[in-house]
Amino acid sequence: MAVRFRVRGFGRRRPGPTAGAPSLEHEGRVCSELAVDLPDEDLGEYLYDCIDLYEMGSKPRCEEVEYLGMVQEAIDRIERGR
């Protein structure tokens, strides 16, 4: 049985500097919180890369869904500025 879900923003370009963009301090804080929650993962410089370069099936399904959900939530928090 295959599990299907849509990863929001998959394949989307990385946001460039724009008016109203979140501060680097906020982005760093969100990334630090995610690194604490996922200590065994190499998150890299850009969170978008975690999703874009992720190989489906490389983790057990429940871990995979949780991991991708946490990364997407962190991206959303950065984009919202909260």
Side-chain angles (χ1 to χ4, degrees), residues 3-4 9-10 12 14 18 41 45-46 48 54 57 62:
V3 176
R4 292 182 182 208
F10 184 77
R12 183 173 33 172
R14 287 181 192 83
T18 59
E41 301 296 330
E45 186 175 351
Y46 300 105
Y48 289 100
Y54 183 76
C62 59

Side-chain angles (χ1 to χ4, degrees), residues 27-41:
E27 184 175 349
R29 185 172 44 251
V30 172
C31 289
S32 294
E33 291 171 7
L34 185 62
V36 168
D37 290 339
L38 299 170
D40 297 334
E41 301 296 330

Side-chain angles (χ1 to χ4, degrees), residues 15 17 19 22-23 27 29-30 40-41 44 48 56 59 70 73 75-76 79 81:
S23 69
E27 184 175 349
R29 185 172 44 251
V30 172
D40 297 334
E41 301 296 330
Y48 289 100
M56 297 302 282
K59 296 177 189 262
M70 290 175 76
E73 177 60 31
I75 291 170
D76 292 345
E79 290 176 350

Side-chain angles (χ1 to χ4, degrees), residues 2-3 5-7 9 14-15 24-25 28 32-33 37 42-43 48 51 59 62-63 70 78 80:
V3 176
F5 61 93
R6 179 182 298 238
V7 177
R14 287 181 192 83
L24 291 177
E25 180 181 319
S32 294
E33 291 171 7
D37 290 339
D42 180 17
L43 297 175
Y48 289 100
I51 292 176
K59 296 177 189 262
C62 59
E63 288 180 26
M70 290 175 76
I78 291 170
R80 286 190 311 260

